[in-house]
Structures are given as C-alpha cells and as structure tokens.
Amino acid sequence: MASIIESGWQYLTTHFSDFQLACLGSFFLHESVFFLSGLPFIWLERAGWLSKYKIQAKINSPAAQEKCIARLLLYHFGVNLPVMIFSYPVFRFMGMRSSLPLPSWKVVFTQIIFYFILEDFIFYWGHRILHTKWLYKHVHSVHHEYATPFGLTSEYAHPAEILFLGFATIFGPAITGPHLITLWLWMVLRVLETVEAHSGYHFPWSPSNFIPLYGGCIVVKCCIFTYRADFHDYHHRLLYTKSGNYSSTFTYMDRIFGTDIGYRKLKALKSPGVEDYEQKKQLEQMFGKIQND
C-alpha cells in the first residue's frame, strides 16, 4: 500500500510543480471533497429520504439551496483560491515540502491531532467574538441565514469571516511546515468534519458516537449524550446573542466556559428520564431564561 501511494505521489511531483500542487492541487482537492460530501444532503432534503435522522423537520427551499451554491462558488474562487496562492510563500518558508520520501504515519498522525486541537481552540474564541453584536450584524449573520443548516452551508459565510476563521484552519500547518500530503489529509478531514457538523442529520454511524469529546460524547444528567451535528444545529436555531456551542470540532471549550449550558438544559428537558412534572417545569423555565437573557 505504501509503495502504491509513493508511486502515485512520484507521478504527481514529476508532472506538476510544487506551486501547482500546493495551490491549484489543494484548491481542486478542497472543491472535490467539499461538494461531493455536501451535495448529497441537498438531495436527501429534497427527496425526504432518511428523514428519521433529520434533526429539524423544516427543509430549505430549492431556491435557498441554489443561492448557497452560487455564493459558495463565488467565495471559493474569489477568496479561497487567492488565499491559497498568496499563502504559498509562507508555507514554503516554514518548511513545507512535496518531495519524497513521504512522512511516516506517526508524524502525520501527530501533526493532524495537533492541528485539530489548535484549530478548535482558535476557532472557539474567534467564533465567540463573531457573536458580539456588531460583528454578528455586519459579518456573521451571513452564515446564520440558514437556521436549518445543510452540508454546504458549512462554508457559506461573509468573505471577512472566511479569512478570519480560516486563519484557525491554516495556522497549525503554517507554523509546522508539514509535508504537502499531510496538509491535504488535514484539509480533507477538516472539510468532512465541518460538512457533517452542518449536515442537519444525526446518523448512527456518525463519528461523534464513537470518538470521545468529538462534538460531544460528554455525559450529562440522565445519561444524555451530545452529538456533533445536533450540537451545532442547536447553535444555528437559537438567538445569536445566547446561542453558545461555539466550538468547531470538540466540546470541552464550551463546557469549560459554560457556553453550552442552554444546550445541556434542553437535552435534559427532552430526556425521557426527566419524568417529574415539577423538575421538567423548572428546567423549562431555566432554559427559557437562558434564551431571553
């Protein structure tokens, strides 16, 4: 298997320059993974398939879906591609390479884990700042046009936000100068993660069912578990000033700083284990206060 990967990689480096692979190759890979993983959720909504796994009953109109796709293409070619081109010298300066030999799986695994942890920390604070009144009104409200998210809405945002939060994604690779194949793997995993978080569906095979702290798997009262898509779906359907659930991949930051309290109260309220009428009423009042504060 390793020899096949190395042979394929040698073919790429022989026929394309470092610049072409790092910029155009990365852009093509991103677009392919993003749209191939995101488009099925549009078809699922329109066809009504797997509706039992859908988090919200509401569906987006075809016009709203088409608007999202058109804006995404504009932003990707007008913002993402130029960023990849202009950041290339920085990555090269920090040591990024595309030549053989390929890095060991231990190096790749360690770097990817580091990128996820660092990105989640930076994203949490950047996202929380975007929910301040002025920035939400003028920037972040674009992303929240879709109160019922679907996969492709994960990258539907104001150009300023694309640059602002995109920094969280590229900062780890920028300071470590990884091999290009590691950068590509990180890009693929990050795209798949954010598409799944915005999918609007929670499937039994979701990674959040098996990976601790990934979008949840934190046990709360009555043994309720939080799941990645459900965790972020809550963020989209609540008032912007008190939405909470700001993390991108994990949930520990929200738990530490109490910005998931509304979500946890709601999950406890909906739990079949909360049968006492007075307890339910108290939880409902507490949740209502959180929304209206």
Side-chain angles (χ1 to χ4, degrees):
M1 183 64 180
S3 61
I4 295 175
I5 295 174
E6 286 193 357
S7 297
W9 193 259
Q10 186 172 21
Y11 175 85
L12 288 176
T13 55
T14 301
H15 291 80
F16 300 96
S17 68
D18 282 354
F19 176 81
Q20 289 172 326
L21 290 173
C23 298
L24 302 182
S26 296
F27 182 74
F28 177 77
L29 178 64
H30 173 271
E31 297 303 288
S32 300
V33 174
F34 177 71
F35 282 104
L36 288 175
S37 62
L39 283 172
F41 293 108
I42 288 183
W43 297 327
L44 286 177
E45 270 202 338
R46 293 189 180 186
W49 298 336
L50 301 177
S51 57
K52 67 178 180 179
Y53 298 119
K54 199 169 187 306
I55 297 168
Q56 295 187 49
K58 179 183 174 183
I59 62 173
N60 294 280
S61 68
Q65 294 171 338
E66 290 161 11
K67 173 190 173 185
C68 178
I69 294 173
R71 290 281 184 89
L72 283 169
L73 290 172
L74 176 63
Y75 295 155
H76 285 182
F77 280 95
V79 180
N80 291 18
L81 181 56
V83 166
M84 290 181 182
I85 293 173
F86 288 112
S87 62
Y88 173 73
V90 176
F91 279 84
R92 288 289 295 176
F93 177 78
M94 295 303 296
M96 186 187 74
R97 64 181 182 87
S98 60
S99 58
L100 292 172
L102 297 177
S104 69
W105 70 267
K106 292 181 180 179
V107 171
V108 173
F109 179 79
T110 302
Q111 289 182 329
I112 294 294
I113 293 298
F114 172 69
Y115 298 159
F116 267 116
I117 294 172
L118 183 61
E119 188 277 340
D120 189 70
F121 178 83
I122 297 173
F123 186 97
Y124 173 86
W125 291 110
H127 192 188
R128 191 168 175 179
I129 290 170
L130 285 172
H131 275 265
T132 54
K133 189 173 182 179
W134 190 92
L135 283 174
Y136 182 90
K137 179 180 179 180
H138 296 283
V139 178
H140 194 49
S141 58
V142 173
H143 181 66
H144 279 267
E145 286 178 18
Y146 293 89
T148 305
F150 53 94
L152 294 182
T153 61
S154 58
E155 294 192 5
Y156 180 87
H158 190 284
E161 178 175 342
I162 295 173
L163 295 173
F164 185 57
L165 291 184
F167 173 78
T169 301
I170 68 171
F171 184 69
I175 63 174
T176 57
H179 192 281
L180 182 58
I181 199 170
T182 306
L183 182 63
W184 281 5
L185 179 59
W186 160 240
M187 181 189 302
V188 169
L189 293 175
R190 180 70 183 103
V191 168
L192 292 177
E193 183 273 329
T194 191
V195 167
E196 192 253 345
H198 288 82
S199 68
Y201 290 82
H202 177 66
F203 301 112
W205 54 85
S206 170
S208 57
N209 291 344
F210 312 105
I211 304 175
L213 298 180
Y214 174 81
C217 284
I218 297 179
V219 182
V220 295
K221 191 173 183 180
C222 304
C223 296
I224 296 297
F225 289 82
T226 59
Y227 300 111
R228 185 73 204 129
D230 184 62
F231 188 80
H232 194 71
D233 198 271
Y234 170 89
H235 173 83
H236 272 264
R237 66 180 185 262
L238 206 64
L239 294 173
Y240 78 90
T241 52
K242 295 293 178 182
S243 54
N245 293 14
Y246 300 119
S247 301
S248 64
T249 302
F250 308 108
T251 58
Y252 67 92
M253 291 289 289
D254 282 290
R255 189 62 182 271
I256 290 172
F257 293 99
T259 46
D260 66 343
I261 187 170
Y263 175 77
R264 289 189 286 115
K265 297 292 185 185
L266 179 61
K267 297 301 289 186
L269 178 63
K270 290 183 176 181
S271 168
V274 183
E275 297 176 351
D276 182 77
Y277 174 79
E278 290 299 325
Q279 186 181 11
K280 274 196 171 186
K281 190 172 182 63
Q282 182 182 13
L283 286 167
E284 190 172 18
Q285 290 172 343
M286 290 175 70
F287 179 66
K289 184 182 179 195
I290 291 167
Q291 285 185 300
N292 297 322
D293 279 349

